[in-house]
């Protein structure tokens, strides 16, 4: 796996990057050490609500979160497993955009209709998503 600095350089050079995620901020969509993300360069894309973006916090780490709001002062971000919104973040902090992910060997595009439905619903559920995530986890555990 590439180092985080390599990922940023690859994206700057116009390459799409696939890497395994770590951390639970995007759970239940992404599970650490199981799922890989496919991140493309931003190029001239206009970022919008619901896009999942790789960005660098000031003087800190790379983060992959969903855009909650786009305002003149910047982007407001939130992880799928979080309720607290971070922002405003500046456009120059954005490094890449999620175009797909690999779950259990299966490629899922962000253009996929079930994914788009999930993203729209999950954003609307932000105020109660912790309870919704617990329910999803319970259903997964009971379904085994």
């Amino acid at each position: 796996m590439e180092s985080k600095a390599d990922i940023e350089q690859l994206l700057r050079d116009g390459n799409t990057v696939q890497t395994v995620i770590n951390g639970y901020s995007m759970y239940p969509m992404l599970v650490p050490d199981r799922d890989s993300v496919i991140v493309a360069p931003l190029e001239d894309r206009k970022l919008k609500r619901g896009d999942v973006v790789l960005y660098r916090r000031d003087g800190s780490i790379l983060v992959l979160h969903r855009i909650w709001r786009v305002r003149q002062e910047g982007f407001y971000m939130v992880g799928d497993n979080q309720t607290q919104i971070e922002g405003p973040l500046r456009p120059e902090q954005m490094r890449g955009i999620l175009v797909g992910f690999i779950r259990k060997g299966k490629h899922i595009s962000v253009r996929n209709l079930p994914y788009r439905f999930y993203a729209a619903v999950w954003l609307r559920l932000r105020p109660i998503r912790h309870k919704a995530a617990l329910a999803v986890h319970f259903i997964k555990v009971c379904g085994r």
Side-chain angles (χ1 to χ4, degrees):
M1 182 171 90
E2 297 89 5
S3 75
K4 300 304 179 194
D6 291 340
I7 289 172
E8 289 184 89
Q9 186 60 53
L10 286 166
L11 290 167
R12 275 193 298 274
D13 292 344
N15 297 293
T16 297
V17 177
Q18 179 178 331
T19 188
V20 175
I21 61 126
N22 57 25
Y24 282 91
S25 69
M26 290 300 290
Y27 182 86
M29 183 179 86
L30 300 171
V31 176
D33 300 322
R34 182 193 75 186
D35 299 336
S36 297
V37 293
I38 303 166
V39 179
L42 290 173
E43 298 168 341
D44 291 329
R45 294 179 200 232
K46 182 174 178 171
L47 298 176
K48 63 188 180 315
R49 176 179 168 87
D51 286 342
V52 176
V53 179
L54 182 70
Y55 62 95
R56 181 167 291 283
R57 288 181 175 150
D58 283 333
S60 186
I61 62 172
L62 284 173
V63 178
L64 186 75
H65 280 170
R66 193 174 302 282
I67 296 176
W68 169 250
R69 277 206 173 105
V70 180
R71 294 285 188 246
Q72 186 173 358
E73 65 272 14
F75 298 97
Y76 290 84
M77 313 296 285
V78 65
D80 283 2
N81 194 27
Q82 299 175 326
T83 56
Q84 187 168 348
I85 297 170
E86 176 181 6
L89 296 165
R90 301 176 311 282
E92 59 268 19
Q93 290 177 267
M94 305 300 135
R95 302 293 193 256
I97 186 167
L98 183 76
V99 293
F101 54 98
I102 310 292
R103 171 177 293 142
K104 299 179 182 177
K106 182 180 177 188
H107 178 270
I108 300 168
S109 169
V110 298
R111 294 182 180 181
N112 173 308
L113 188 58
Y115 167 83
R116 290 175 34 207
F117 177 77
Y118 161 85
V121 168
W122 208 243
L123 277 173
R124 294 204 184 279
L125 289 176
R126 187 195 58 82
I128 61 165
R129 78 165 50 145
H130 180 69
K131 290 178 180 164
L134 289 174
V136 167
H137 178 71
F138 178 76
I139 290 167
K140 284 182 178 180
V141 169
C142 290
R144 288 184 186 168

